[in-house]
Amino acid sequence: MCEVDVAIAGSGPGGTAAAIALAQQGFRVAIAEAEHFPRDRPGETLHPGIEPLLQQLGVGSHLLAAGFLRHPGNWIQWEGSRRFEPFGSDETGPWQGFQAWRADFDTLLRDRAVELGVKVHQPCRALHPLVTQNRVTGIATNQGEIRAKFAVDATGSRQWLAKQLKLAIHPFSPPLIAHYGYVEGDCPIRDDAPAIVAGDGGWIWTAKVRPKLYQWTRLDFTYKPLEKTWQPPEFQTLKPWRKSAVADVTWRQVSPPAGPGYFLVGDAATVLDPASSHGVLKAIMSGMMAAHLITQLLQGKAFEGKVIAGYSQWMETWFHKDIETLKKLYALLPNAPDWVR
């Protein structure tokens, strides 16, 4: 189908961040994205700290113009009474986070990649990696082969490349399933900021994601099936919007997240549940880091073995630091599961 410097599977935030950063350096990049756009993904709270990264990618002004809802922090009710936790402030005033509508956010990043000359094949499903002498040399798709010097897996929690290459996927928690859904109407108490509230066996997150549209996410450590008609108490009078859905958020890590000719970014490398609160930030940062390292390799400024080891250590350190933080957080729950102690 084509020959490029870097082939990327998946056009979520991690894949497009990598593509944009590489295209900015003048490299030829192709993306294979299996789904049509716009596509639905759970709404995402973006910390204000993501703005400098998006400015580097050339989409900062587009983010501000997108009209996403903004808020200065989150309501938290965990081990005690409810409190408001702001993101912070500086001389210009309070920092404002973004409640990004993922269909629009992902499209914004993809369009920036296309603007820079990235070839986006969509819908185009990655089938298996091309491998030559134990090195990944591209991606075979249902539309043909994308041959490349490096491949990036940004397919998210389905961890396509790890499964294709039979890499080790290490679990760090029991199976965890998050339920999420949407409701339509008005809920004034949730209009100023999202909230996360601890329950007997887990937590519930609620947020306004668009005008007259709210999202909820529930993680229950008791593993009891959720009733199909369940909604958070504050949304009881609101109308369900589409069917609720589930996501496998079992904590897990792929080892190694980089190797000869390949890098894994975002959830393709490590998965944690949404309480870690920075899924999109992780995807974008790891995508940009992978792009930086690939640039060094393509320019002959680094040795691949050292780059692979350094990236793997960076991802592992970040993952285990997040696990430590989550375990401390969950240990404060009224009925904390034994495996977090």
Side-chain angles (χ1 to χ4, degrees):
M1 183 164 60
C2 67
E3 186 168 336
V4 294
D5 296 307
V6 183
I8 300 174
S11 65
T16 48
I20 292 167
L22 287 160
Q24 287 173 328
Q25 296 299 317
F27 295 113
R28 300 166 301 155
V29 184
I31 296 176
E33 168 54 52
E35 298 181 39
H36 288 281
F37 273 22
R39 59 179 183 180
D40 289 335
R41 289 290 186 274
E44 183 83 33
T45 298
L46 303 180
H47 188 280
I50 203 170
E51 284 192 73
L53 298 177
L54 297 178
Q55 292 287 358
Q56 290 181 45
L57 297 173
V59 295
S61 59
H62 299 290
L63 178 73
L64 295 173
F68 296 136
L69 300 178
R70 306 200 66 179
H71 53 279
N74 297 284
W75 287 102
I76 297 174
Q77 187 171 343
W78 206 256
E79 71 277 16
S81 59
R82 191 174 78 145
R83 70 183 190 278
F84 184 75
E85 190 168 293
F87 291 125
S89 63
D90 55 27
E91 63 277 2
T92 64
W95 296 342
Q96 295 277 327
F98 297 85
Q99 196 60 51
W101 185 248
R102 282 292 303 276
D104 294 342
F105 184 69
D106 288 1
T107 300
L108 181 154
L109 287 166
R110 183 207 58 184
D111 290 350
R112 171 61 175 161
V114 171
E115 179 184 296
L116 291 171
V118 175
K119 298 178 181 178
V120 179
H121 303 280
Q122 185 180 27
C124 178
R125 185 163 49 89
L127 300 176
H128 59 81
L130 302 175
V131 180
T132 305
Q133 296 180 341
N134 295 319
R135 179 183 182 82
V136 175
T137 55
I139 299 171
T141 79
N142 63 335
Q143 295 182 15
E145 294 182 349
I146 305 175
R147 296 199 168 270
K149 299 178 179 71
F150 289 93
V152 175
D153 181 10
T155 58
S157 59
R158 67 188 183 96
Q159 300 177 318
W160 164 76
L161 190 57
K163 293 173 181 175
Q164 288 288 323
L165 295 178
K166 295 182 170 53
L167 303 177
I169 302 177
H170 302 289
F172 285 82
S173 74
L176 297 176
I177 301 297
H179 293 76
Y180 64 93
Y182 297 86
V183 292
E184 292 180 297
D186 289 297
C187 182
I189 66 168
R190 192 51 50 240
D191 288 351
D192 63 335
I196 185 166
V197 178
D200 288 340
W203 52 262
I204 300 168
W205 177 85
T206 53
K208 185 176 184 178
V209 292
R210 300 183 86 177
K212 294 187 176 296
L213 187 66
Y214 302 81
Q215 186 197 340
W216 58 266
T217 302
R218 175 173 170 174
L219 184 63
D220 193 337
F221 297 124
T222 62
Y223 313 109
K224 295 178 181 177
L226 198 62
E227 295 179 9
K228 291 183 178 180
T229 58
W230 185 90
Q231 290 182 180
E234 65 200 86
F235 292 163
Q236 285 301 309
T237 61
L238 278 65
K239 179 183 176 182
W241 186 71
R242 301 181 180 176
K243 293 182 179 179
S244 60
V246 298
D248 179 0
V249 295
T250 304
W251 301 356
R252 56 196 188 273
Q253 174 190 29
V254 176
S255 181
Y262 75 85
F263 288 82
L264 313 180
V265 302
D267 283 354
T270 61
V271 176
L272 290 170
D273 71 69
S276 64
S277 75
H278 51 241
V280 168
L281 179 63
K282 177 184 72 175
I284 288 177
M285 286 185 66
S286 58
M288 293 176 72
M289 176 61 82
H292 168 71
L293 296 174
I294 290 171
T295 296
Q296 296 291 304
L297 292 170
L298 289 172
Q299 293 176 342
K301 296 180 180 179
F303 294 104
E304 189 171 30
K306 288 187 176 180
V307 165
I308 289 169
Y311 182 79
S312 298
Q313 183 62 52
W314 180 68
M315 290 293 286
E316 182 174 357
T317 299
W318 189 1
F319 178 69
H320 286 281
K321 183 177 179 181
D322 282 347
I323 281 184
E324 183 180 343
T325 300
L326 273 178
K327 284 189 173 182
K328 289 179 179 178
L329 180 68
Y330 286 152
L332 299 173
L333 288 170
N335 296 304
D338 291 338
W339 55 271
V340 304
R341 299 183 187 281

